[in-house]
């Protein structure tokens, strides 16, 4: 038996649900093509903003044991250069049948509209609207993802400038996740990506007595946050009828299936690329198929949202 | 009983135990693990560590010696200047080792032949660990060191002491032959009695590309150690991407230039 891993998401065909998450390896067309050849079902580029940004000084990414912590600070080449990268990437991914998700950020609503309009010209398959980076609070202020009305406003302006479906990347760092998701969905979001990194967190070096990240704080990811991500996806799937890219600490086939049982349609893969290398996509896919075969599950639709069945 | 939690690959403190002036702009810092973190670092030639100075920056360095762990630092900017200002007893924090280094075992060397190491500028530093390993394995080692001027050269004596045959060149002729290290390597390889059976190089990108061409021309296996702007050092952020390869994880040592790997993805390093 060969279980079916393919899925439709906002009318786009994905041969498998594993999507490279934003901020991991999404910097270069050749590198994104390589990840696609490693078996990813979709590729998300690194978040791009209106102008080039250096990001934070080093250290920016650390393996602290149970996961990663990062404060790269939205380093990106700016939207003009990004369009060139995305067009190149698209032409490399199209023959492989791998959709491209373009991630964008901005620090004002107007700027979001501008970046979305420009990215629209590169014609990615999907635009991911990143309103939830936790690492730029000093500069950008409170993330849009922490407030329902500003999250909705960003969604509305992005929808107004493009026909491409958009997914809004939500933050777990709020008690109002469902309210924010409702506002975003009402404003026209085609999908949701949940979750961005948790925190921010901090790691202190004992010898120097100083926070190690140059930004002092950073977003926590990896296996340590998976239960939080699964709960967020579960809550969203329960409350809303919007497809979800479930992201957060998925490292194995079992983790990916867990995310689908929580209600995710696609599954984001980020820190696993560190733990297992780019080969993780094919490996996770194989692990999913093995479990599905052992449990006589022939398609992901059979188990999607299964965890909700016992919810009274 | 003491319980230590998993702290992953966080930076660990190392004490500066000795400082050596190699030339006016190059200094070597010999480091020792502190009592709390006495785990010795197991390092292959060509691998790198991320060196952190709190409040300054964190940068990749490929050590010039594994035992004692030695970072050889050329002063070029604020971080390397801060490294030069350290004294014996000061602390440097290291993560690592990371990446794929040089390998000697993949290239069997017959006793009559020898390997050639080509170092451009500060490329002389990581090649020293390779020379040590090669000499320990009983191989003959020919070293070509090049720099812009005599002030940029270092380690000639260190290579000589290991029993390597050393040739130097400078762009301005202020030391050794007036030529680039690649030109010297090229003329050595075209000699009738040339008996080199593998090439290893570390230096600026264009120099490595030229060494690759040389290796192709003479049908020799080659290993090239590339430099790149790095952030995470662990294959996550994509800052060091070069033609679809990550210098930090797939490299820094490659068997062909990463853009060539990219043009022929089927034969590339995975």
């Amino acid at each position: 038996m060969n279980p079916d891993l393919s899925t439709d998401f906002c009318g786009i065909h994905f041969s498998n649900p594993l999507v490279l998450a934003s901020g991991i390896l999404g910097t270069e067309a050749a590198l994104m093509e390589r990840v696609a050849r490693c078996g990813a079902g979709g590729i998300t580029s690194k978040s791009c903003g209106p102008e080039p940004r250096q990001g934070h000084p080093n250290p920016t990414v650390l393996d602290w044991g149970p996961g990663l912590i990062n404060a790269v600070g939205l380093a990106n080449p700016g939207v003009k250069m990004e369009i060139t990268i995305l067009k190149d990437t698209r032409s490399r991914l199209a023959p492989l049948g791998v959709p491209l998700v373009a991630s964008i950020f901005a620090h004002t609503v107007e700027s979001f509209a501008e970046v979305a309009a420009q990215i629209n010209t590169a014609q990615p398959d999907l635009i991911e609207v990143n309103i939830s980076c936790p690492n730029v609070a000093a500069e950008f202020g409170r993330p849009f993802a922490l407030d329902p009305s500003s999250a909705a406003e960003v969604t509305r302006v992005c929808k107004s400038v493009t026909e491409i479906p958009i997914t809004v990347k939500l933050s777990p760092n709020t008690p109002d996740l469902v309210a924010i998701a409702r506002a975003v969905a009402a404003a026209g979001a085609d999908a949701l990506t949940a979750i961005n990194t948790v925190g921010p967190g901090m790691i202190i070096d004992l010898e120097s007595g100083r926070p190690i990240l140059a930004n002092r704080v950073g977003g926590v990811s990896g296996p340590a946050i998976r239960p939080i991500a699964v709960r967020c996806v579960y809550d969203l799937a329960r409350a809303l009828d919007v497809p979800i890219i479930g992201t957060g600490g998925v490292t194995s086939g079992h983790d990916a299936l867990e995310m689908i049982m929580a209600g995710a349609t696609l599954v984001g893969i980020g820190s696993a690329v560190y733990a297992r290398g780019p080969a993780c996509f094919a490996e996770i896919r194989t692990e999913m198929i093995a479990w599905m075969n052992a449990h006589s599950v022939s398609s992901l639709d059979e188990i999607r949202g299964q965890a909700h069945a016992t919810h009274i | 009983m003491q319980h230590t939690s998993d702290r992953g690959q966080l930076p660990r403190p190392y004490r500066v135990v000795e400082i050596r002036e190699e030339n006016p702009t190059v200094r070597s810092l010999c480091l020792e693990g502190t009592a709390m973190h006495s785990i010795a670092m197991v390092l292959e030639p060509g691998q790198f560590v991320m060196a952190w100075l709190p409040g300054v920056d964190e940068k990749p360095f490929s050590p010039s010696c594994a035992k004692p762990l030695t970072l050889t630092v050329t002063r070029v900017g604020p971080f390397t200047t801060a490294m030069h200002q350290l004294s014996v007893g000061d602390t440097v924090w290291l993560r690592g080792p990371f990446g794929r280094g040089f390998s000697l075992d993949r290239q069997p060397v017959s006793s009559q032949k020898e390997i050639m190491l080509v170092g451009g500028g500060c490329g002389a530093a990581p090649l020293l660990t390779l020379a040590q390993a090669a000499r320990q394995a009983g191989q003959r080692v020919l070293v070509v060191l090049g720099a812009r001027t005599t002030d940029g050269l270092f380690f000639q004596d260190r290579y000589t002491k290991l029993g390597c045959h050393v040739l130097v060149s400078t762009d301005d002729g202020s030391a050794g032959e007036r030529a680039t290290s690649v030109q010297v390597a090229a003329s050595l390889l075209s000699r009738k009695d040339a008996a080199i059976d593998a090439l290893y190089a570390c230096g600026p990108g264009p120099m490595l590309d030229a060494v690759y061409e040389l290796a192709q021309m003479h049908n020799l296996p080659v290993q090239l150690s590339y430099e790149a702007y790095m952030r995470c050092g662990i294959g996550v952020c994509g800052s060091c991407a070069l033609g679809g390869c990550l210098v930090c994880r797939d490299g820094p040592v490659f068997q062909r230039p990463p853009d060539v790997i990219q043009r022929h993805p089927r034969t590339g390093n995975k």
Side-chain angles (χ1 to χ4, degrees):
Chain A
M1 194 173 78
N2 220 347
D4 183 14
L5 293 185
S6 73
T7 207
D8 271 9
F9 189 83
C10 301
I12 306 150
H13 180 76
F14 287 75
S15 65
N16 76 68
L18 307 175
V19 177
L20 176 71
S22 176
I24 311 287
L25 305 185
T27 50
E28 194 199 42
L31 192 52
M32 288 187 265
E33 178 192 344
R34 174 178 168 194
V35 176
R37 288 184 186 277
C38 284
I43 300 288
T44 313
S45 56
K46 178 157 175 58
S47 291
C48 138
E51 300 295 332
R53 274 177 67 90
Q54 270 275 279
H56 297 309
N58 250 11
T60 48
V61 184
L62 298 164
D63 165 2
W64 57 281
L68 299 179
I69 184 165
N70 91 83
V72 172
L74 297 171
N76 82 99
V79 69
K80 274 209 186 81
M81 181 66 193
E82 184 73 3
I83 290 170
T84 311
I85 296 171
L86 291 176
K87 282 182 174 166
D88 186 7
T89 308
R90 219 176 79 86
S91 66
R92 291 162 182 262
L93 298 189
L96 305 173
V98 176
L100 173 63
V101 185
S103 175
I104 61 166
F105 76 89
H107 56 287
T108 64
V109 171
E110 297 72 33
S111 180
F112 256 113
E114 179 60 27
V115 176
Q118 294 213 46
I119 286 297
N120 180 63
T121 64
Q123 287 292 303
D125 297 283
L126 201 67
I127 295 175
E128 184 169 274
V129 181
N130 179 7
I131 57 170
S132 47
C133 178
N135 300 327
V136 288
E139 209 181 321
F140 286 22
R142 213 170 122 89
F144 294 105
L146 301 186
D147 174 65
S149 62
S150 41
E153 190 57 27
V154 170
T155 307
R156 199 169 301 120
V157 299
C158 290
K159 275 304 282 181
S160 72
V161 296
T162 180
E163 301 282 306
I164 297 169
I166 69 166
T167 177
V168 177
K169 189 161 187 177
L170 300 175
S171 168
N173 311 317
T174 165
D176 304 320
L177 177 70
V178 169
I180 290 159
R182 276 191 213 284
V184 162
D190 301 280
L192 301 169
T193 305
I195 56 179
N196 208 318
T197 52
V198 172
M202 180 183 282
I203 303 277
I204 296 168
D205 171 67
L206 295 186
E207 193 82 1
S208 61
R210 302 171 70 130
I212 304 177
L213 291 173
N215 188 50
R216 296 188 305 280
V217 300
V220 181
S221 66
I225 71 159
R226 200 185 76 241
I228 298 171
V230 169
R231 185 269 301 165
C232 289
V233 169
Y234 180 93
D235 285 352
L236 294 173
R238 185 154 181 76
L240 291 145
D241 192 20
V242 175
I244 301 163
I245 307 178
T247 305
V250 172
T251 310
S252 70
H254 290 188
D255 298 346
L257 292 163
E258 179 188 26
M259 204 54 109
I260 285 166
M261 286 189 183
T265 301
L266 298 176
V267 178
I269 301 291
S271 302
V273 173
Y274 164 63
R276 306 179 70 173
C280 70
F281 289 94
E283 292 166 7
I284 294 173
R285 216 172 49 187
T286 306
E287 290 156 8
M288 292 174 79
I289 288 170
W291 188 91
M292 290 167 78
N293 276 332
H295 294 78
S296 304
V297 173
S298 60
S299 88
L300 293 174
D301 288 339
E302 289 174 32
I303 56 163
R304 183 166 292 113
Q306 194 181 316
H308 297 270
T310 52
H311 194 114
I312 304 157
Chain B
M1 218 171 65
Q2 202 185 345
H3 178 79
T4 31
S5 65
D6 173 13
R7 289 181 67 87
Q9 288 269 16
L10 293 176
R12 295 198 303 258
Y14 288 78
R15 296 271 183 265
V16 178
V17 292
E18 195 192 334
I19 296 174
R20 286 190 233 128
E21 296 263 356
E22 307 295 354
N23 75 25
T25 57
V26 180
R27 251 176 206 211
S28 293
L29 308 175
C30 301
L31 307 173
E32 215 169 63
T34 62
M36 252 187 78
H37 302 271
S38 53
I39 318 149
M41 195 178 278
V42 184
L43 189 98
E44 284 169 29
Q47 282 192 304
F48 70 95
V49 297
M50 296 296 289
W52 175 49
L53 293 178
V56 187
D57 208 339
E58 189 197 41
K59 299 270 184 196
F61 288 91
S62 194
S64 57
C65 184
K67 261 184 192 173
L69 186 60
T70 307
L71 303 185
T72 298
V73 182
T74 304
R75 197 177 65 232
V76 288
F79 183 75
T80 48
T81 300
M83 290 283 274
H84 274 229
Q85 282 162 353
L86 294 174
S87 310
V88 168
D90 285 346
T91 307
V92 179
W93 283 255
L94 305 180
R95 295 190 283 139
F98 299 126
R100 293 188 194 175
F102 294 108
S103 77
L104 285 169
D105 52 3
R106 267 188 251 157
Q107 299 175 341
V109 176
S110 65
S111 54
Q112 283 80 34
K113 293 193 175 181
E114 58 184 354
I115 60 171
M116 187 195 282
L117 277 47
V118 187
C122 38
L127 287 174
L128 189 67
T129 57
L130 177 67
Q132 265 172 344
R135 291 297 297 147
Q136 259 166 28
Q139 299 184 3
R140 294 169 61 201
V141 181
L142 174 59
V143 182
V144 181
L145 300 177
R148 252 170 268 154
T149 71
T150 184
D151 279 357
L153 286 170
F154 59 95
F155 277 0
Q156 300 98 301
D157 55 333
R158 217 66 62 78
Y159 282 105
T160 307
K161 219 178 271 174
L162 284 172
C164 306
H165 182 51
V166 183
L167 290 165
V168 301
S169 68
T170 49
D171 296 353
D172 65 355
S174 54
E177 200 176 325
R178 182 181 188 140
T180 67
S181 54
V182 179
Q183 285 165 336
V184 173
S187 70
L188 286 169
L189 287 169
S190 32
R191 276 166 52 166
K192 257 197 214 130
D193 58 344
I196 305 295
D197 71 349
L199 280 175
Y200 297 84
C202 184
M207 179 203 127
L208 298 179
D209 294 348
V211 171
Y212 179 68
E213 293 301 318
L214 260 187
Q216 293 287 92
M217 203 188 304
H218 294 275
N219 199 22
L220 290 174
V222 64
Q223 294 182 28
L224 311 161
S225 175
Y226 277 79
E227 257 191 356
Y229 175 70
M230 273 182 205
R231 283 172 190 274
C232 74
I234 55 176
V236 172
C237 71
S239 303
C240 66
L242 207 57
C245 290
L246 295 169
V247 174
C248 72
R249 190 158 178 158
D250 305 314
V253 176
F254 294 93
Q255 261 124 1
R256 52 186 77 80
D259 62 324
V260 174
I261 295 172
Q262 202 275 312
R263 270 183 259 138
H264 306 284
R266 283 204 194 124
T267 57
N269 299 33
K270 273 283 155 81

